């Protein structure tokens, strides 16, 4: 795959706090495979931020792929400015797992949430996203750390 960021000190979009080069980049470039559904979820979020359509399709379970995946993903990426990711719960059970997360993005006039419980499966030592259930938005405490990874409280950084 194509190298997506040239500065190895840039923070990873998944908000891990780690440099992209030591976090999601090796997954995006095919040098490593995700060791858990949670790691795959974070790398998929980063792929959305970085507009890495080939990675998103490759990590979607083959049974769920559609002919129009590429243009649909491109349209979503063109219309969405992702702001941060918050993992709520990771529940592995054998060769399947669920990851509940909130992905924050800028709406037309306010910050919006994609709150989802995603389903994953591992096959031949590779994790794949299968599908997800959209959940209602979560009310954030004004005093919790901001979802964007700034280190500030939500009330001082973003009003949600």
């Amino acid at each position: 795959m194509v190298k997506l960021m040239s500065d190895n000190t840039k923070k990873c979009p998944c908000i891990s706090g780690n440099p992209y080069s030591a976090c999601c980049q090796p997954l995006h470039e095919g040098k490593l495979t995700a060791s858990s559904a949670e790691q795959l979820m974070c790398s998929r979020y980063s792929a959305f931020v970085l507009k890495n359509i080939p990675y998103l399709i490759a990590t979607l379970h083959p049974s769920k792929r559609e002919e129009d995946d590429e243009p649909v993903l491109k349209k979503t990426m063109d219309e969405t400015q992702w702001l941060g990711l918050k993992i709520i719960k990771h529940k592995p059970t054998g060769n399947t797992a669920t990851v509940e997360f909130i992905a924050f993005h800028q709406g037309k006039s306010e910050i919006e949430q994609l709150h989802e419980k995603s389903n994953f499966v591992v096959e031949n030592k590779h994790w794949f996203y299968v599908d997800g259930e959209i959940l209602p938005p979560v009310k954030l405490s004004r005093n919790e750390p901001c979802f964007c990874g700034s280190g500030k409280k939500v009330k001082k950084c973003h009003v949600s």
Side-chain angles (χ1 to χ4, degrees), residues 43-74:
S43 70
R44 285 179 56 84
Y45 171 82
S46 290
F48 271 104
V49 172
L50 299 172
K51 302 180 182 202
N52 186 344
I53 293 171
Y55 183 78
L56 291 166
I57 293 172
T59 56
L60 177 63
H61 193 270
S63 69
K64 299 295 184 172
R65 295 178 192 161
E66 302 286 340
E67 285 187 29
D68 66 344
D69 283 342
E70 190 170 340
V72 168
L73 286 166
K74 184 176 180 342

Side-chain angles (χ1 to χ4, degrees), residues 1-159:
M1 289 189 186
V2 178
K3 191 170 184 179
L4 299 170
M5 293 174 105
S6 59
D7 183 352
N8 287 336
T9 62
K10 289 222 180 222
K11 295 287 184 192
C12 192
C14 76
I15 315 293
S16 66
N18 296 320
Y20 175 65
S21 62
C23 194
C24 292
Q25 185 175 11
L27 297 165
H28 291 169
E29 292 179 351
K31 294 176 181 172
L32 293 176
T33 59
S35 61
S36 69
E38 182 176 16
Q39 187 181 33
L40 183 66
M41 175 63 239
C42 291
S43 70
R44 285 179 56 84
Y45 171 82
S46 290
F48 271 104
V49 172
L50 299 172
K51 302 180 182 202
N52 186 344
I53 293 171
Y55 183 78
L56 291 166
I57 293 172
T59 56
L60 177 63
H61 193 270
S63 69
K64 299 295 184 172
R65 295 178 192 161
E66 302 286 340
E67 285 187 29
D68 66 344
D69 283 342
E70 190 170 340
V72 168
L73 286 166
K74 184 176 180 342
K75 184 177 189 296
T76 299
M77 291 171 180
D78 289 345
E79 296 173 351
T80 310
Q81 178 189 0
W82 296 104
L83 302 172
L85 176 67
K86 181 176 182 174
I87 302 293
I88 307 294
K89 187 185 328 181
H90 173 225
K91 184 178 177 186
T93 53
N95 69 340
T96 63
T98 59
V99 178
E100 181 181 348
F101 71 92
I102 304 170
F104 298 88
H105 58 95
Q106 184 62 52
K108 289 183 180 178
S109 62
E110 62 184 32
I111 294 168
E112 298 177 357
Q113 298 179 19
L114 169 59
H115 182 196
E116 182 176 307
K117 181 179 174 184
S118 297
N119 299 302
F120 296 85
V121 64
V122 65
E123 294 178 354
N124 299 318
K125 300 181 182 179
H126 285 79
W127 281 99
F128 293 97
Y129 172 78
V130 178
D131 58 20
E133 172 190 356
I134 303 297
L135 302 172
V138 171
K139 176 91 170 121
L140 299 176
S141 164
R142 293 171 37 86
N143 289 320
E144 69 181 273
C146 191
F147 48 80
C148 73
S150 68
K152 298 178 184 177
K153 293 180 181 181
V154 171
K155 69 181 178 185
K156 297 284 185 182
C157 195
H158 289 94
V159 178

